[in-house]
Amino acid sequence: MTHNLLLTTEIDILILLLVACFAAIALKRLQFPYTIGLVVVGLILGGVGQHVPALEIVQALSLSHDLILFVFVPPLIFESALNLDSRLLLRNLGPTLILAAPGLLISTAIVGSLLSWGTSLTLPQALLFGSLISATDPVAVIALFKELGAPKQLAVLVEGESLFNDVTAIVFFNIILATIATEVGFERAMIAAGIVQFLISFIGGVFVGAILGYSSRYLMALVKENVLVLATVTTVLAYGVFLLAEEVFEVSGVIAIVSAGLMAGWYKSNRLKPEPRAFLGEFWEYAAFLANSLIFLLVGLTISQFQLFGQLRQTESLLTAFGLTIGAIVLARAVVIFGLIPLVNLTSESKIDRRYQFVSFWGGLRGAVCLALALSLDSDFPNRDLIVTLTLGIALFTLLIPGTTIGGLIRTFKLDRPPIIDQWCQAIAKVAVKRAVLKQTHLVESFQPRFNEVINEFQQCYQNELHEAERSLAHLREQIDLNEENIQQLVWLTALAIEQKNYRTLYDQGFMSEPVLGQFNARSILLQDAVLSGSIPSQPATFKPVDTFWGHSIQNIVERLAPKSSWLMRMRSQLIMSQYEYWGILAQTSQQVPLQLQKFAEEGGPTFLLAIQPCINIFEQERIDATLKCDQISEQFRETTISCQIKISNRVAHFFQDKTIKQLVAKGIINEETVERIQS
């Protein structure tokens, strides 16, 4: 029975997704990185498929340039940009761009020079290979960061470099390829033209993505209650912005996706209500899961089809070239990370810790983009097979060696969330959950008063489980000797988690505006990173509220150009209201956190009750300072702060109005038509 190509492809994809499902279950139990495990599964599937007729159909699928760039890259990059904290990215923009542009060029030069000397590649061919192999793809590393609770700044640095160096790699790959085709050599004019082309591609991609991303917000605003349409709009945005940038405007599609994704991410975090915000996050997490599952399985299948291991065993020169290539990329990565980042640290406000540098060095995996560029070479390109083979080999090496060992490096540097803290949190949470369930058993009793024996059995069961949970907590308290540093880390991480949750709740209820929420989120993340690094706060954190540096800088410029501008007056008023709102929210949250922290500490016993006092003292001092600043602003700018209070009151009223209407609809008291009349 013959099948058409579409049906065959559909069957192949379904088989791969089924394999990915079983692999996810097995790899979770083995505690092996998912994406790296899929490469191994793909290798095995490809090897077995050559000998088992039933699996021959899977051999029809392999990676290609168009498949990677036009199908897999958009969802992967858009999901990363959608969830990337733009404020933290701005704080680390200097080192990120240095690594992505000059760093990639230095890496290209080192790899190209060494391979032109030690392999059959000519200098232009070696530089071409160096440009594509220098693009990092830390998908597996970022997933591990999330699992281990690594500092957010480290994740932003590694992920930001990957997002931006893709465009550098693609532009300079095309420049070197054009140079090889025209045989004009690397002249100054060619280098200058390359730099100009890079800037055009980069800046053009930023503008195309920003314009389309900003425009899509109007459409998202119309459908923000319809989560399915909202997901569809963002899907069209992710793929559409890439196609328009690449095919119409001929600028970087990758940067366009990053720019559009950051715009959509800001809208998701600051304008959507909790339910659609959560759905959109889960939708793109699933889209990235599908893309990652397929691309890493196909990496394994493609390597198997190229018979990489057989070629290495049979050809001594290829094995030598592969070894030299590994040495070259490791050397180039070391020069870039340990040479450029210390220079950036001299002038940057946000310093990159030495431990972060080592993790970034070892976490420079290679993946989708470098494979796409290698596979884009024409079949008659000189030494194409060698370039593709080396690219596949390096991708496999970085995934299997650094990819599987970087977790140990993170733990060695103590950049993960201490396991002992997770054990305490789990034990305390279990006790709290059992107690909460027991408190609600009266609801079951009132609903079914005739079945007392069932209710009594239910209560006894949960009472036994509570006793067991309390015994486990007591045993853990006796068996594990928590040192002062671990206790303080646990206290502060808990306090900061409570604080961040309060900020989101206050925003959702209308008490806080979008810019202030963004500032508080950045503040919490930076404090969490500091605590994870062992720096326990000894005094209230000092952060500039709501980007006052940028706001006052723009205000000063406008005052010089147009001192009587009405726009200037509005801007000054907005800054004052933002500062008033910032200090007011900080005062309120600093009062609430100690109360909730006290409840958590009661479950931990006397040790934790004593340990939380320094933390509570700092929050109390922060509340006093914030209240004082709030009062000062209120006295100095009374009319402006009254306007701010009116704005806040209107936002809160709107929230509770919507909440009440939803409750009435859920109870069946009013229908959707009535809702439209109420809201009109």
Side-chain angles (χ1 to χ4, degrees):
M1 182 178 179
T2 60
H3 299 295
N4 60 41
L5 180 60
L6 180 61
L7 182 58
T8 303
T9 303
E10 181 182 355
I11 294 171
D12 288 341
I13 292 174
L14 290 175
I15 292 174
L16 291 182
L17 290 177
L18 187 62
V19 169
C21 291
F22 285 115
I25 297 169
L27 293 169
K28 179 69 174 178
R29 294 184 177 180
L30 295 173
Q31 296 185 337
F32 194 82
Y34 173 68
T35 49
I36 297 170
L38 286 180
V39 175
V40 178
V41 172
L43 283 168
I44 296 171
L45 193 64
V48 173
Q50 296 175 7
H51 306 286
V52 178
L55 293 176
E56 285 183 357
I57 190 170
V58 180
Q59 300 294 313
L61 274 182
S62 62
L63 288 174
S64 67
H65 168 264
D66 290 344
L67 181 64
I68 294 173
L69 282 187
F70 292 98
V71 177
F72 292 136
V73 163
L76 290 175
I77 292 182
F78 190 82
E79 190 269 341
S80 293
L82 190 72
N83 296 312
L84 197 63
D85 192 304
S86 58
R87 291 171 185 268
L88 289 181
L89 180 62
L90 285 174
R91 286 179 65 91
N92 294 277
L93 193 59
T96 298
L97 292 179
I98 291 294
L99 292 177
L104 188 135
L105 293 180
I106 292 171
S107 178
T108 298
I110 292 173
V111 173
S113 300
L114 289 174
L115 293 191
S116 66
W117 165 76
T119 69
S120 59
L121 295 175
T122 64
L123 179 59
Q125 293 167 4
L127 289 173
L128 184 73
F129 174 76
S131 67
L132 69 89
I133 207 63
S134 296
T136 57
D137 181 14
V139 171
V141 174
I142 295 299
L144 188 62
F145 285 174
K146 294 177 182 177
E147 180 182 335
L148 296 178
K152 193 73 173 178
Q153 183 189 12
L154 175 60
V156 169
L157 176 68
V158 173
E159 194 167 11
E161 179 198 1
S162 172
L163 289 175
F164 288 121
N165 72 10
D166 286 347
V167 61
T168 314
I170 292 170
V171 169
F172 282 92
F173 175 87
N174 290 329
I175 291 171
I176 297 171
L177 189 62
T179 303
I180 294 173
T182 55
E183 299 180 352
V184 297
F186 293 98
E187 300 175 352
R188 288 185 179 180
M190 179 64 71
I191 296 174
I195 294 173
V196 171
Q197 184 179 341
F198 167 75
L199 292 175
I200 292 173
S201 182
F202 186 94
I203 297 172
V206 170
F207 274 102
V208 170
I211 292 169
L212 293 177
Y214 187 84
S215 301
S216 69
R217 291 166 53 189
Y218 295 104
L219 186 56
M220 293 168 69
L222 294 175
V223 300
K224 60 184 178 183
E225 296 296 332
N226 190 326
V227 292
L228 298 178
V229 179
L230 188 65
T232 306
V233 169
T234 54
T235 302
V236 172
L237 176 64
Y239 281 97
V241 74
F242 183 81
L243 291 172
L244 285 171
E246 289 283 340
E247 303 299 322
V248 178
F249 298 103
E250 297 184 352
V251 294
S252 172
V254 172
I255 291 297
I257 294 177
V258 173
S259 183
L262 289 173
M263 284 282 183
W266 181 91
Y267 187 87
K268 174 180 80 76
S269 300
N270 298 318
R271 291 295 176 86
L272 292 182
K273 294 179 181 178
E275 293 82 5
R277 182 170 63 236
F279 177 85
L280 195 60
E282 291 170 359
F283 170 80
W284 278 103
E285 186 177 352
Y286 175 66
F289 168 79
L290 285 182
N292 274 322
S293 299
L294 291 173
I295 198 169
F296 280 100
L297 277 172
L298 288 172
V299 166
L301 282 170
T302 305
I303 291 172
S304 176
Q305 291 168 5
F306 270 78
Q307 299 182 344
L308 177 64
F309 297 114
Q311 292 185 56
L312 291 175
R313 285 198 304 268
Q314 296 172 9
T315 310
E316 185 176 342
S317 60
L318 181 58
L319 186 61
T320 302
F322 184 61
L324 179 62
T325 306
I326 292 175
I329 64 166
V330 171
L331 174 63
R333 186 69 179 167
V335 170
V336 168
I337 296 296
F338 301 117
L340 294 183
I341 289 184
L343 295 178
V344 176
N345 281 343
L346 295 176
T347 57
S348 175
E349 178 186 353
S350 182
K351 309 295 183 184
I352 306 300
D353 189 287
R354 193 72 172 175
R355 296 171 301 170
Y356 292 9
Q357 295 177 36
F358 274 102
V359 173
S360 182
F361 158 72
W362 197 238
L365 311 186
R366 272 60 171 184
V369 171
C370 66
L371 289 172
L373 293 176
L375 294 169
S376 70
L377 295 173
D378 294 335
S379 58
D380 58 350
F381 185 85
N383 282 319
R384 178 189 186 273
D385 290 344
L386 176 60
I387 291 174
V388 173
T389 302
L390 288 178
T391 304
L392 290 169
I394 293 302
L396 183 63
F397 168 79
T398 58
L399 287 168
L400 293 183
I401 306 302
T404 56
T405 57
I406 194 169
L409 186 65
I410 293 171
R411 295 185 184 95
T412 300
F413 286 140
K414 297 182 178 180
L415 293 174
D416 61 324
R417 181 180 170 91
I420 194 168
I421 290 178
D422 286 336
Q423 293 179 46
W424 270 103
C425 289
Q426 182 178 345
I428 292 173
K430 196 170 183 180
V431 171
V433 167
K434 300 303 178 184
R435 286 180 180 171
V437 171
L438 279 173
K439 287 180 180 178
Q440 301 302 320
T441 53
H442 68 278
L443 297 175
V444 180
E445 190 174 2
S446 64
F447 182 70
Q448 293 287 357
R450 292 174 295 175
F451 298 98
N452 290 330
E453 66 279 4
V454 175
I455 295 167
N456 291 335
E457 184 178 347
F458 175 81
Q459 289 177 331
Q460 187 60 45
C461 177
Y462 263 88
Q463 191 67 52
N464 293 337
E465 291 183 10
L466 174 60
H467 289 327
E468 181 60 32
E470 289 174 336
R471 281 197 298 269
S472 297
L473 179 60
H475 180 70
L476 190 62
R477 191 184 293 123
E478 294 172 359
Q479 295 296 317
I480 299 178
D481 182 22
L482 279 173
N483 58 42
E484 185 177 351
E485 181 184 354
N486 281 335
I487 293 175
Q488 287 298 322
Q489 272 192 322
L490 174 54
V491 167
W492 271 98
L493 288 174
T494 304
L496 292 172
I498 293 170
E499 184 182 50
Q500 203 165 20
K501 176 66 175 177
N502 279 356
Y503 291 146
R504 174 53 71 178
T505 301
L506 288 171
Y507 169 75
D508 287 337
Q509 292 178 348
F511 288 97
M512 195 189 313
S513 61
E514 298 91 356
V516 178
L517 174 66
Q519 183 69 13
F520 276 125
N521 284 339
R523 162 197 156 93
S524 296
I525 289 170
L526 292 172
L527 279 171
Q528 286 171 352
D529 283 358
V531 171
L532 284 171
S533 299
S535 178
I536 305 299
S538 58
Q539 59 185 4
T542 54
F543 288 91
K544 294 177 181 178
V546 291
D547 301 330
T548 52
F549 172 78
W550 293 104
H552 286 305
S553 297
I554 297 171
Q555 179 181 330
N556 292 335
I557 293 171
V558 176
E559 280 181 344
R560 293 175 185 174
L561 297 176
K564 296 182 180 180
S565 168
S566 59
W567 181 80
L568 174 63
M569 299 300 293
R570 287 196 301 272
M571 181 179 180
R572 183 185 290 122
S573 176
Q574 185 62 46
L575 280 171
I576 293 168
M577 285 194 289
S578 296
Q579 292 180 49
Y580 176 73
E581 186 179 322
Y582 177 92
W583 294 117
I585 293 294
L586 186 59
Q588 194 272 348
T589 304
S590 298
Q591 184 178 24
Q592 291 298 316
V593 171
L595 298 176
Q596 297 176 48
L597 187 62
Q598 184 81 21
K599 295 179 182 178
F600 173 82
E602 287 172 358
E603 302 290 352
T607 303
F608 283 92
L609 284 171
L610 291 174
I612 66 170
Q613 197 55 50
C615 178
I616 289 176
N617 292 340
I618 290 176
F619 273 98
E620 176 60 23
Q621 185 59 50
E622 192 169 58
R623 183 191 66 79
I624 294 171
D625 294 343
T627 302
L628 179 61
K629 289 181 184 291
C630 200
D631 290 342
Q632 289 173 346
I633 294 172
S634 180
E635 291 174 6
Q636 188 176 359
F637 306 100
R638 182 171 176 78
E639 290 185 7
T640 305
T641 52
I642 289 174
S643 298
C644 183
Q645 286 289 357
I646 293 172
K647 269 190 173 183
I648 293 172
S649 299
N650 288 333
R651 290 200 304 257
V652 173
H654 184 71
F655 166 79
F656 283 103
Q657 174 182 299
D658 285 352
K659 183 178 179 181
T660 304
I661 289 173
K662 286 182 179 179
Q663 290 173 345
L664 293 173
V665 171
K667 293 177 181 179
I669 297 174
I670 61 175
N671 54 30
E672 295 295 338
E673 293 180 0
T674 306
V675 171
E676 292 180 5
R677 288 196 294 270
I678 293 173
Q679 292 179 338
S680 61

